[in-house]
Amino acid sequence: NFYYYFTDKENLMEETLKFVHEFFLENAIKKAYDESLSPEERLDKMLNKLEKIFLSSEGGCIMGNIALETAYTIPKLTEIVKIYFNDWISALKHIYKFKHDDNTSQELAELTVQDVEGGIMLYRIYKDKTYILKALQIARKRFKTDYI
């Protein structure tokens, strides 16, 4: 029955990653572009949703996990993961641009994603959610200052 729906395991993983990406866009990323909210409210809503998503998943971030496992072996999956991270970085940059110039916003957005992904990894290792919470708190500080 498996091969009726999917050509192989890679195809299954590809469809799973696309589903996760759509879920992430719909439930977290689109909050960054909600014109009915102030930029700070957009950031808070997006980060609050990310907190719920990442703390409710015992496996951490599937995109980060797949990136580490397949980066050099399955380019098709790597491209899907890149799009996911690009969307996340773009959303943060969009919000940070309300307070910072273009280059600084890009740098702060990239640093935030790095911090959150690192926080997810440490959360999994130490079973301590404060790693993710600290990374999200730093993301909020970056909106208000040039905190790096």
Side-chain angles (χ1 to χ4, degrees):
N1 286 337
F2 173 84
Y3 291 106
Y4 178 78
Y5 297 101
F6 305 101
T7 55
D8 54 28
K9 291 179 193 173
E10 284 180 23
N11 180 236
L12 170 63
M13 182 55 68
E14 181 181 352
E15 293 304 315
T16 301
L17 293 177
K18 287 178 181 177
F19 176 82
V20 169
H21 183 223
E22 285 300 317
F23 176 85
F24 188 74
L25 286 172
E26 184 63 31
N27 290 283
I29 296 302
K30 85 175 196 183
K31 296 186 183 328
Y33 304 99
D34 185 345
E35 298 291 329
S36 70
L37 302 172
S38 73
E40 194 163 4
E41 290 171 322
R42 294 176 196 190
L43 182 64
D44 278 338
K45 286 196 176 284
M46 187 172 85
L47 296 178
N48 288 340
K49 191 61 179 181
L50 291 173
E51 178 183 330
K52 287 179 186 171
I53 291 169
F54 292 134
L55 289 178
S56 69
S57 171
E58 287 188 29
C61 174
I62 189 171
M63 294 295 192
N65 294 342
I66 294 301
L68 293 173
E69 293 292 324
T70 67
Y72 299 109
T73 57
I74 310 173
K76 184 175 10 177
L77 298 182
T78 301
E79 287 306 310
I80 296 169
V81 172
K82 268 187 186 175
I83 293 167
Y84 165 88
F85 282 112
N86 286 341
D87 285 345
W88 188 4
I89 290 167
S90 294
L92 286 165
K93 179 181 178 180
H94 177 73
I95 295 171
Y96 287 144
K97 280 177 73 171
F98 284 94
K99 296 277 186 164
H100 306 285
D101 64 57
D102 194 63
N103 289 334
T104 302
S105 297
Q106 179 72 26
E107 182 179 6
L108 294 175
E110 290 170 354
L111 287 169
T112 296
V113 172
Q114 290 175 77
D115 287 350
V116 173
E117 285 296 316
I120 293 166
M121 180 187 66
L122 292 173
Y123 164 60
R124 288 184 62 203
I125 292 169
Y126 294 105
K127 300 195 184 328
D128 183 351
K129 68 182 181 179
T130 58
Y131 292 104
I132 293 175
L133 298 177
K134 284 179 189 177
L136 295 172
Q137 191 57 40
I138 289 169
R140 288 177 174 90
K141 278 185 181 181
R142 287 182 174 135
F143 179 74
K144 297 175 183 174
T145 66
D146 286 337
Y147 183 81
I148 294 185

